[in-house]
Amino acid sequence: MNSYEEKLSSLFEIFQAILKNTGVYADPGKLFKIAIEIYEKFMEPFSGSGMEETAFEVKEELEELENTELHIAITGETGSGKSTLINALRGLKAEDDGAAPVGVTETTLNPNVYVHPNHPKVNLWDLPGIGSPDFSPDSYLKKVDFQRYDFFIIVGSERFRSNLINLAQAIQKMEKKCYFVRSKVDSDLSNMEKSYPNIFNAEEVLEKMRDDFKKQLKKCFRNTIPPVFLISSWDLGKYDFPQLVETLERDLPSLKRLAFLLSLPMFSPEFTEKKKSALKSHLWKISLASAGINALLIPGFPLACDSAFLLGSMVAFYKMFELDDGSLARKAKLAGKPVEELKAVMKSPQEKEITIDLVIKKITNNAKELFPPSLVRSLAAAGVSFATTYLMLSNFLNDLAEDAERVRKKALEPIALGRPPFYSSFVGVGDNWLIFVLVFITYFVSFNLYFYVFYPC
C-alpha cells in the first residue's frame, strides 16, 4: 500500500474526530478553522506532489480496479453440482436467461464462460466434467487452457475420487491455487436426519464429514493439502461458504480479491458488512478524483466536484449491493415474489432516481450541515469538497447496505398467504370473469335447491 493511501485510508475517522472535538454545530465561528484543519490533513500526504497529480494517480487505480479481470474455473465430476454453483454465484436459477444448464447428465463438453450479470470482468468457467476411467490431468488441463484461470474450484458431491485428487495435484504442481468444494451438503444432512431421527445432530455430521475428507486427503498430498469446504448452492450463507470467501480473500491479489468480493451475492448480514467495508476503503479515491479532476462549481454553493464521475460510482454501488433494477428482478424471481414487494422495503432512492441533480443535492445538503457557504474559502475549498464528498458517499453507502439487508430478509420471508391457486390462474383474464363464474354457480345451486324443495321427485 502506498504511503499516501495508508494515511488517507483513515481520513474519515480524522474528520469525524475533528468535528466532534471542536463543537462544530455549537459555534459557527469555528467552522472556518475546521475547514483549514481538514484541508491541512487532506494535503499532508501529498507533500511530494500536487493534489491534481495525485488525483490522476488514484483515478488510474480506480480504472485499474474496474478493468481487473477474474477468471474462476469450476470443475469436478459429472452431476456434482458445478453448474448449480455457477448459477448461485451469479444470482440465477437454471431456467433464467444466460444461466448455466443443469442436468444429471454431463452438459458441458467444452469450457463455457458465464459472465457475471453485474460485473462483466468476472468470468466463471464451467469446465467439462471428469468421469472417464482413463482421465489424464495433464491432457485435461491442456484442453481447458490451464493458464487462463486465476484459481480452480473442484466440486464433488460425494467422496473426492482419485480423478479429482490427481487433478488437484497437477494444478498445485503448476503453482496455481485450487480448492475442494463438497456440494449438496443440505441433501446429505436431510438424508441423515431421516435415517437417524432420534440421534441426528447436524454439527456432528458436518464435523465428521470434514474429518473424513482431511484424512482422505492427507494420504494423497505430501505437502500443502487443498482446503475442503462444505456448501449448499441453494443457501450460500450456510455451512462453509463464508470460510471459502475468507480463504480466497487471503489468497487473491488485492484487485482480484476486491473484484471477487464485490461480485458475490448478498448471502448474510456479515457479508453485507464485509462488502460495505471493502467499498469504504476506496471512497477516498473516488472523493479525491472528484475534487481534483474535472471539478465544476456546484450552482449556488462554493464547492466543486465532478458530479458525473460521482453519479457513475453511486450507480455502481447499487449493482454491488444488488439493488439495481436487474438484480432486484432476479432476486424477486428467485424468491417467488413481486419485485415491488422487495422495492417497498428500500429507503434509498430507486436506481432510476439517481441523477446528477440528486448527487449535487446530496453534496450540498452535507456541506451545509458542516460549512455555511460564507465560511468556505478558496484556500480550503479543495479540502472541504473532498471531505464533504467523502461524508456524502459514506452515508450513501451505509444506507445502501441497510437496504440490501432489508431486501435480503424480505426475499427470505415465506410467501404470504393470498388468493387461492384457482384464482391466481385466472388473474390475467380479469376479476370480472371470476365474478361471473361465482355468480353463475350460486344461481345454479339456488335454482336446483328451489326445485328440490318445491317440486320434489
Side-chain angles (χ1 to χ4, degrees), residues 229-245:
F229 302 95
L230 312 180
I231 74 165
S232 166
S233 295
W234 301 113
D235 191 345
L236 296 179
K238 285 186 175 181
Y239 316 121
D240 294 344
F241 185 77
Q243 287 72 36
L244 172 60
V245 173

Side-chain angles (χ1 to χ4, degrees), residues 119-161:
H119 306 272
K121 299 294 182 179
V122 176
N123 303 280
L124 294 101
W125 291 82
D126 192 0
L127 303 189
I130 302 164
S132 63
D134 58 346
F135 168 76
S136 168
D138 293 333
S139 61
Y140 178 85
L141 292 175
K142 183 177 181 180
K143 176 183 177 181
V144 300
D145 192 6
F146 169 82
Q147 293 299 331
R148 173 191 290 156
Y149 313 109
D150 293 291
F151 61 90
F152 289 74
I153 293 178
I154 302 175
V155 184
S157 58
E158 297 176 1
R159 294 184 64 81
F160 295 112
R161 296 184 174 85

Side-chain angles (χ1 to χ4, degrees), residues 67-330:
N67 294 320
T68 295
E69 291 189 356
L70 184 64
H71 295 272
I72 304 171
I74 298 184
T75 186
E77 293 182 325
T78 300
S80 61
K82 299 183 284 100
S83 299
T84 303
L85 177 57
I86 288 175
N87 291 334
L89 293 174
R90 299 168 68 226
L92 301 176
K93 280 185 176 180
E95 60 188 15
D96 292 334
D97 292 338
V102 174
V104 293
T105 58
E106 179 55 48
T107 57
T108 307
L109 301 177
N110 295 298
N112 289 325
V113 63
Y114 295 94
V115 179
H116 195 286
N118 279 351
H119 306 272
K121 299 294 182 179
V122 176
N123 303 280
L124 294 101
W125 291 82
D126 192 0
L127 303 189
I130 302 164
S132 63
D134 58 346
F135 168 76
S136 168
D138 293 333
S139 61
Y140 178 85
L141 292 175
K142 183 177 181 180
K143 176 183 177 181
V144 300
D145 192 6
F146 169 82
Q147 293 299 331
R148 173 191 290 156
Y149 313 109
D150 293 291
F151 61 90
F152 289 74
I153 293 178
I154 302 175
V155 184
S157 58
E158 297 176 1
R159 294 184 64 81
F160 295 112
R161 296 184 174 85
S162 58
N163 283 349
L164 300 184
I165 291 172
N166 292 339
L167 177 62
Q169 290 171 334
I171 292 171
Q172 284 188 339
K173 187 177 180 181
M174 297 182 184
E175 300 182 345
K176 284 208 175 184
K177 294 282 187 179
C178 65
Y179 309 89
F180 282 118
V181 161
R182 172 66 163 79
S183 65
K184 304 181 182 180
V185 173
D186 46 352
S187 296
D188 294 329
L189 290 175
S190 177
N191 292 334
M192 288 294 291
E193 186 174 14
K194 292 175 183 176
S195 301
Y196 303 96
N198 296 323
I199 62 173
F200 173 77
N201 183 293
E203 287 303 320
E204 289 181 3
V205 174
L206 291 171
E207 197 57 37
K208 187 177 186 303
M209 290 173 66
R210 293 187 186 99
D211 290 340
D212 288 345
F213 289 132
K214 288 177 183 177
K215 290 177 183 177
Q216 178 191 3
L217 296 179
K218 278 183 180 178
K219 299 176 183 178
C220 306
F221 291 87
R222 294 182 178 179
N223 299 318
T224 305
I225 300 175
V228 178
F229 302 95
L230 312 180
I231 74 165
S232 166
S233 295
W234 301 113
D235 191 345
L236 296 179
K238 285 186 175 181
Y239 316 121
D240 294 344
F241 185 77
Q243 287 72 36
L244 172 60
V245 173
E246 291 177 3
T247 301
L248 288 168
E249 276 189 273
R250 292 194 300 268
D251 292 350
L252 287 170
S254 59
L255 291 178
K256 291 183 181 291
R257 177 194 313 142
L258 189 59
F260 174 69
L261 282 178
L262 297 181
S263 71
L264 290 176
M266 314 300 293
F267 60 82
S268 72
E270 295 77 17
F271 183 71
T272 300
E273 286 300 310
K274 182 188 289 288
K275 185 174 282 194
K276 182 179 76 172
S277 178
L279 284 170
K280 277 201 171 186
S281 68
H282 287 263
L283 288 187
W284 69 267
K285 295 179 182 179
I286 298 172
S287 304
L288 177 56
S290 170
I293 307 172
N294 299 327
L296 298 175
L297 281 174
I298 295 176
F301 205 78
L303 288 179
C305 69
D306 185 344
S307 54
F309 178 67
L310 292 175
L311 174 65
S313 299
M314 293 166 72
V315 170
F317 292 162
Y318 272 79
K319 293 185 177 181
M320 293 167 187
F321 282 107
E322 297 183 299
L323 297 174
D324 61 293
D325 291 340
S327 295
L328 288 171
R330 289 190 292 271

